[in-house]
Amino acid sequence: MNIYLIGHIAPDLDSVAAPVAYAEFLDKSKRYEDSKVIPVLSGDVNKETEFVFKEAKIDLPLNINDISIDPTDAFILVDHNEISQRHPKIPHEQVIEIIDHHKINIDFVSPIRLDVKPYGSTSTIVYEHFDTYGQKPSEGIAKLMLAAILSDTQGLKSSTTTGIDSEYAHQLAKTTETDIERFTFELFKSKSDITGMTPQDIARKDYKIFDFDGKKVFINQIETVEPDKILDMQEEIARALEEIKSIEGAGQAYCVVTDVLKVNSHIIFSTDEEKSVAEKAFTTQAQGKSADIGPRTSRKKDIAPEIERVILYTK
Ligand SMILES: [Mn+2]
């Protein structure tokens, strides 16, 4: 039997790096000795992920669409747990384990292994396994985990960053002889690259679909060192959000543009309803199709809960 490790749809770096790193840990620790542990992709990778895997000299995993799943195979969900963020090819009853750092929203009929911690990245939880069980990651895997921690925590600056993220990032930087500041800037640059992307691609660059009490809400986030490039396209992005809503069957859609150097975000929306939700959620005043929402840079901690609160409250 195969055990597939997989991140969320529209995978970001952590969602690709953590499954690959965790697969190495599971191999070394022999937890599932009778099975083959195989990381797989839930979708196309972004430019940052491409850059990091090249730097670490590690091959990208296969896409889940290119493998055939046997009823005896099992799945480990990495960096997500909600059904709305899960690849549709994953059979619910074949999930045996979840390793994640997001809010829990699950319902299983039988017991599964859960490893959920409020750290800045899933890769931090994975490295904690190596550390706790006295296993040493290979150099490439160490680099992947370091990159994912720095990426998810916006260079250890986001509000989700914990002391453990910082401690482990420094340990990994030491073993891989990496300069954290310089590497973070390279990650930011590769994240900001929108060459060849349409407004629709931009509006889907790093999205999550949330279920707020039965209402589907699409929230995309773009982390960039050049926010004006995106904000200048707000009309086109607003139109793309409209198309996305009808494709995804979502009631509302937002695109958050985060300036990772200034630690500040803007939110782009398309309808008056969304504008009013954004203004209430972040006590701000919209201008055109966007609003400045201040130093809120974590979607799961600073942004999604505020939108959810307004949607539930004004229901
Ligand atoms: Mn993550």
Side-chain angles (χ1 to χ4, degrees), residues 151-166:
S151 174
D152 256 25
T153 62
Q154 295 157 354
L156 304 174
K157 291 212 170 71
S158 81
S159 61
T160 55
T161 315
T162 65
I164 296 157
D165 296 304
S166 177

Side-chain angles (χ1 to χ4, degrees), residues 27 37 59 61 65 89 115 178 190 192 217 219 231 253 292 303:
D27 260 339
V37 288
D59 291 335
N65 289 324
K89 236 183 129 180
D115 201 344
T178 308
S190 64
S192 310
V217 178
I219 307 178
L231 289 169
D292 187 334
I303 297 165

Side-chain angles (χ1 to χ4, degrees), residues 189-206:
K189 263 195 345 207
S190 64
K191 254 183 202 193
S192 310
D193 187 358
I194 53 161
T195 343
M197 290 175 79
T198 65
Q200 176 83 229
D201 296 334
I202 294 171
R204 282 183 178 273
K205 194 164 182 269
D206 177 5

Side-chain angles (χ1 to χ4, degrees), residues 8 12 14-15 79 100-102 120-122 152 300:
H8 54 75
D12 61 2
D14 193 34
S15 238
D79 198 38
D100 190 17
H101 67 134
H102 295 91
S121 78
T122 300
D152 256 25
K300 73 172 174 207

Side-chain angles (χ1 to χ4, degrees), residues 248-269:
E248 300 290 343
Q252 297 184 8
Y254 300 92
C255 175
V256 176
V257 184
T258 297
D259 182 333
V260 281
L261 294 179
K262 289 200 183 125
V263 193
N264 187 277
S265 297
H266 282 75
I267 192 163
I268 303 175
F269 43 80

